[in-house]
Amino acid sequence: MNETPQPMADFAVGDRVRLTTPPPYLKTADTMPMLRPPDLVQLGEEGTIVDRRPGGYWGVKFERGTFLIDSQYIEAMPTHLDNS
């Protein structure tokens, strides 16, 4: 097998991200994580990276809570400023 591992998304604490694909469930970023239904975060909703977790997970603060999101479900928001 000659599979190349997928590159890990490069986010930093404080980065703004957007949910691009709905995960099958959400896991809270609490000390004792709980599984929550995926509809608490809407597709396209923006959040802020609050920390990095093992296994490709990121703590992301959304309007309805902070959840552990796999990097495959989020993308970085553009950081350019529009002076129009």
Side-chain angles (χ1 to χ4, degrees):
M1 285 185 190
N2 212 1
E3 293 182 31
T4 55
Q6 262 190 306
M8 182 93 79
D10 194 19
F11 302 116
V13 172
D15 283 356
R16 298 284 298 164
V17 295
R18 174 179 28 229
L19 189 69
T20 57
T21 306
Y25 58 85
L26 294 170
K27 185 185 279 191
T28 63
D30 301 327
T31 305
M32 291 291 291
M34 293 179 20
L35 297 181
R36 306 290 295 168
D39 61 353
L40 291 177
V41 178
Q42 300 302 312
L43 189 62
E45 187 171 337
E46 296 178 19
T48 304
I49 300 284
V50 294
D51 65 359
R52 169 80 169 90
R53 302 288 176 101
Y57 287 91
W58 298 90
V60 182
K61 181 173 177 53
F62 291 102
E63 184 177 323
R64 297 186 70 187
T66 303
F67 302 100
L68 300 179
I69 306 289
D70 190 311
S71 56
Q72 70 179 343
Y73 299 115
I74 54 177
E75 70 179 2
M77 296 294 299
T79 57
H80 64 83
L81 297 175
D82 187 9
N83 292 331
S84 318

